[in-house]
Structure formats: structure tokens, C-alpha cells
Amino acid sequence: MSNNIPFEIQAEIFKRLPVISLIQIRSVCKAWKFLIDSDDFIKNYSGQMQYLLARIIGCSHGLLCLYGGYQEGHDGPLSGTCRAVLWNPSIRKAVAVAVPNVADMTIYETGFGFGVCRETNDPKIVKITHINMRGHRESVTCIPWQVEVFPLSTGAWRSPYTSNLPRNSIEFDYDNTVVIYGMLYWLATDRITADGGFQSYNNLIISFDMTSEEFREVNLPDSLAHQSIDGLSIL
């Protein structure tokens, strides 16, 4: 279809598909994934009578995790409540999770990860809030990183087991996230300021263990660490 139908027409077709079909075709190619995940597509999506305006956070053990707000009908109001939804498509069951403390996006960025603990099989949502504008990193006098974990077994948000949060110079690329064997991986960039104010950037991978709830850094080869992050993907 991508070779014969203009991309704009494809987008209009996708807007009329049910959520389950969007999740399936999102994995076909990067162009479709970026389209379906885009703010414009989410805003205009019209696939069901009750629309979940959401981003797909992740998929693990047959469960999907989505994040967004709710809208009733084609022209209904968008709820101001932010929610994550854990959905099992095979049995058509879903659990809605209220997401508290979503920060002011003019200064902060809130990102998510989803996976299943390999020891307990407990699904967990990870919420990461950090300063997103470089100009605010030195001027804002607050905790630069805040991490909360939602285990489905407890039904409540809490702090992670450990306090080894990412360094202040790390910037996450939340569109490049995978989960493998109970480990979350994000593509990230480390902003390094040398003497004289010169700044350089190194690409790396940040991991999060769903069992120990620890962050770790994974260095990339020099051939990948210093090229544009726009050309990299861990999908």
C-alpha cells in the first residue's frame, strides 16, 4: 500500500481504523510508527465512539500500555485527567491507571516505560520527570530527576527501590524504547560541557531493571556515539 497510495491518504485511512489495527500496523515501518505516535494524528484520531487519545508506551508479555486522555464521541471534550491503560487484547480486558504529578511541560518533560518484572511477572509502569530545556538545567532549583514506579500488584505509585537516578546531563529519546527480558532500554544523549563552555554530545543507552529498579548506562561504539541521534534507533 505504501508504494501506491499517497502518504496523506494513508493517514486518513488510519484515522478510521480501530485501536487494535493501529497497534498492529504501527510495527510495519518507521514512517507508520511516527505517524501514529504523532501529536497531530492522536488529536484527530476518530476510530471509536469513546476515543483514547494515547501514545503507546510499550508492549510486554502480551500486554499493551498506553498513555493519554479520554474524549467522548467525535466532538466531545477531552478530559484533563492523564491516564495510563494496561490492556490485554487477547482477553479484551483493560485497567486504567491515574497518572499524578504530570509536570509543567514548558520546563519539564515526562516520559514513560513499561515492562514486566521477570521474577514476579508483575507489570510495572515507570514515570520519569526531568528538566527538558537546557537553559533551565542550571537555573531551576529543584530536583532535576523524579522517578515513580507503578506495580500493578499494589495499584499505587511509589519511589523506585534505589536512588541511582540518571545524571543531570542525560537527555532521553522516549521514542526509542524497547523492553527485553525485564529490562527497559532508552536511546539517550549525554551533554558534556568542557572547559571554556564548549559542549559535546555522546549517544548512549540507558537501561532500567524492572526487578532491581536500577538505572545503568550502556556505552555505544565511537562510530555510533558521536553521530546524529536522529539517524539511530533501537527499535
Side-chain angles (χ1 to χ4, degrees), residues 9 11-18 22 41 45-48:
I9 303 300
E12 290 301 317
I13 294 172
F14 294 163
K15 290 176 184 178
R16 291 160 174 79
L17 296 177
L22 291 179
F41 183 87
Y45 173 63
S46 56
Q48 296 181 342

Side-chain angles (χ1 to χ4, degrees), residues 53-185:
L53 304 186
R55 294 185 181 277
I56 299 172
I57 297 174
C59 176
S60 181
H61 289 60
L63 300 175
L64 288 164
C65 184
L66 305 98
Y67 170 77
Y70 286 93
Q71 181 176 10
E72 297 290 344
H74 286 274
D75 300 315
L78 176 64
S79 169
T81 302
C82 294
R83 297 183 183 179
V85 175
L86 298 180
W87 179 29
N88 188 331
S90 63
I91 61 174
R92 300 183 181 179
K93 297 291 185 180
V95 176
V97 178
V99 180
N101 307 321
V102 178
D104 179 4
M105 294 185 65
T106 60
I107 299 177
Y108 298 93
E109 180 176 5
T110 298
F112 295 89
F114 171 71
V116 176
C117 176
R118 60 183 176 272
E119 292 188 1
T120 63
N121 288 323
D122 191 9
K124 293 182 180 181
I125 304 171
V126 182
K127 180 167 76 75
I128 304 171
T129 302
H130 61 91
I131 300 170
N132 68 2
M133 297 178 66
R134 296 169 189 163
H136 291 286
R137 288 179 183 267
E138 291 77 24
S139 62
V140 175
T141 58
C142 64
I143 299 174
W145 289 90
Q146 291 181 325
V147 179
E148 296 175 87
V149 179
F150 181 93
L152 183 60
S153 60
T154 65
W157 292 93
R158 60 165 174 77
S159 298
Y161 294 141
T162 61
S163 58
N164 67 325
L165 302 184
R167 292 177 286 116
N168 294 355
S169 58
I170 299 293
E171 298 178 358
F172 278 58
D173 180 359
Y174 292 108
D175 290 330
N176 272 301
T177 307
V178 297
V179 57
I180 304 173
Y181 299 122
M183 297 287 295
L184 279 166
Y185 298 93

Side-chain angles (χ1 to χ4, degrees), residues 198-229:
F198 176 78
Q199 292 186 348
S200 62
Y201 299 87
N202 289 329
N203 302 319
L204 71 161
I205 293 174
I206 301 294
S207 70
F208 182 81
D209 191 321
M210 302 301 287
T211 301
S212 66
E213 299 182 359
E214 291 184 329
F215 287 96
R216 295 187 178 92
E217 297 181 9
V218 181
N219 293 323
L220 295 175
D222 288 342
S223 59
L224 299 177
H226 304 295
Q227 68 171 274
S228 171
I229 197 171

